[in-house]
Amino acid sequence: MVTEHALVLAGLHRWFDDHHVLNGLELEVPRGELHAILGPNGAGKTTLLRIISGITEPSSGLVTVDGVTTRPGSDRNLRREIGLIAASANSFYMRLSGLENLLFFGRLQGMAKRHAVERSRELLERVGLTEAMDRRVGHYSTGMQRRLTVARALLTEPVLLLADETTAGLDPAGARSVRALFTSIAGAGTTVLWTTQRIDEIRGFADRVSFLHDGRFLFTGTVPEMVALARPKRYIVELQSDEALDSVASHGGAVLEGVAELESVGVASSRVFALTLEPEEMIGSALVRLSGAGIQVVSCTEERSPIDEAFTRLSGGVA
């Protein structure tokens, strides 16, 4: 069944005891898209992937993959449509070779022996492990094992590939290599859902991103659009001038024309204003204009949005 979207989430909730891990998630991911789920530890990324793959049941809501609703214990044909690369241990048989491991998992998926051999060799070449296919997996580097995990997830030619923190623990070169592999996978038509904690990882990599924070999607769109939203555009400023309050508002508004808008937000006698920047303008430019017009800026504070606070927490700061 060919559908426009490889993945659709509709009103997805998940509770664990009294903890609301996922809160009404809505998402549509087109076929062939590399979609990143960005969020800090505890945001619910791994729980989301477990629900999509059918391992964990949602408390309410629906997950549809390639037009079919997934459920724990879904039939084999539906499970074959979803490949999962978990963030935890790779769970390979370390005394077996890379090829032998893929043959084992292929047969476990119900593949005929001949097809399992052909598919395993094809995938080992695709992930760059042809020369190491007969080597014991216990002698593989972390990066090689991660590539073998990708090959295992692709055995059944899934419509949707779920990748949970797939570059964690890899050096920069290894991480770049794995991301390049996923770019080629998405380019070949497989939809990829990629979770990460690092926004720098998805720049120039993901087609779109959803920011997951406290179980909610705060944003879905392109990476440049998200970065633009995280940049403060509204500030609370206290202004001082010899002019009367109405004159300060009028004069300041004229000075900032084309750069920012000035709006009173305090009580009638207050000189506190909201300063909203025009696109592409910087706060420094607005403050310089006010100062040059004889209007002193006593204080200036960012008015933070929920997404901006989430970014601060994500980067290790204090919101």
Side-chain angles (χ1 to χ4, degrees):
M1 178 179 179
V2 178
T3 61
E4 179 183 356
H5 294 100
L7 173 67
V8 177
L9 309 181
L12 198 65
H13 291 264
R14 175 65 202 191
W15 287 270
F16 288 106
D17 297 325
D18 294 331
H19 184 38
H20 203 173
V21 179
L22 300 178
N23 192 347
L25 298 187
E26 303 275 345
L27 183 66
E28 294 182 342
V29 181
R31 296 176 67 89
E33 179 172 275
L34 201 163
H35 194 104
I37 303 294
L38 178 68
N41 279 332
K45 301 188 300 296
T46 297
T47 298
L48 174 59
L49 296 197
R50 289 176 62 85
I51 289 174
I52 293 171
S53 64
I55 297 172
T56 299
E57 187 173 3
S59 299
S60 63
L62 295 175
V63 177
T64 302
V65 176
D66 201 28
V68 181
T69 300
T70 69
R71 296 178 179 85
S74 296
D75 64 54
R76 175 177 288 182
N77 288 335
L78 179 56
R79 292 199 303 272
R80 288 169 63 92
E81 297 293 315
I82 305 168
L84 174 63
I85 302 171
S88 56
N90 292 327
S91 66
F92 287 113
Y93 293 94
M94 295 299 170
R95 293 188 178 184
L96 298 182
S97 69
L99 177 59
E100 289 168 334
N101 267 278
L102 290 191
L103 288 175
F104 171 79
F105 287 108
R107 296 286 282 161
L108 201 62
Q109 291 279 1
M111 298 171 67
K113 183 176 181 181
R114 181 175 179 180
H115 178 52
V117 171
E118 292 175 351
R119 182 66 176 159
S120 296
R121 289 182 177 275
E122 172 192 335
L123 289 171
L124 286 166
E125 179 179 2
R126 187 173 180 183
V127 302
L129 290 176
T130 299
E131 294 183 1
M133 71 166 63
D134 295 321
R135 193 186 312 169
R136 288 185 178 183
V137 171
H139 296 160
Y140 280 16
S141 67
T142 301
M144 293 169 70
Q145 288 190 29
R146 200 65 51 82
R147 285 176 167 272
L148 188 61
T149 307
V150 175
R152 181 175 63 185
L154 291 172
L155 274 168
T156 59
E157 302 183 64
V159 168
L160 177 65
L161 185 59
L162 310 175
D164 193 13
E165 304 283 356
T166 303
T167 58
L170 298 182
D171 60 33
R176 284 194 300 271
S177 178
V178 168
R179 287 195 298 271
L181 174 59
F182 274 85
T183 298
S184 70
I185 289 170
T190 301
T191 306
V192 176
L193 203 65
W194 174 281
T195 72
T196 182
Q197 301 178 49
R198 302 181 355 241
I199 191 170
D200 60 292
E201 180 170 81
I202 61 175
R203 294 178 190 266
F205 172 61
D207 296 311
R208 290 193 305 150
V209 56
S210 292
F211 191 89
L212 183 63
H213 183 65
D214 287 340
R216 293 181 173 88
F217 284 141
L218 299 186
F219 171 85
T220 294
T222 67
V223 179
E225 286 170 345
M226 185 179 186
V227 172
L229 279 179
R231 190 178 300 123
K233 289 186 174 66
R234 184 172 154 108
Y235 296 79
I236 303 301
V237 295
E238 182 181 355
L239 304 180
Q240 184 173 323
S241 171
D242 293 334
E243 302 177 65
L245 179 61
D246 289 345
S247 297
V248 171
S250 177
H251 185 197
V255 167
L256 293 172
E257 186 174 1
V259 174
E261 294 182 359
L262 201 63
E263 174 190 2
S264 178
V265 294
V267 296
S269 60
S270 172
R271 293 173 181 260
V272 177
F273 298 84
L275 190 155
T276 305
L277 297 177
E278 295 295 327
E280 307 302 327
E281 292 293 342
M282 301 297 290
I283 182 63
S285 175
L287 300 184
V288 167
R289 287 198 180 200
L290 289 171
S291 178
I295 301 174
Q296 182 181 351
V297 179
V298 178
S299 64
C300 177
T301 306
E302 296 174 7
E303 187 175 72
R304 305 172 71 118
S305 66
I307 197 168
D308 185 44
E309 292 179 2
F311 264 105
T312 301
R313 292 178 186 176
L314 187 61
S315 61
V318 179

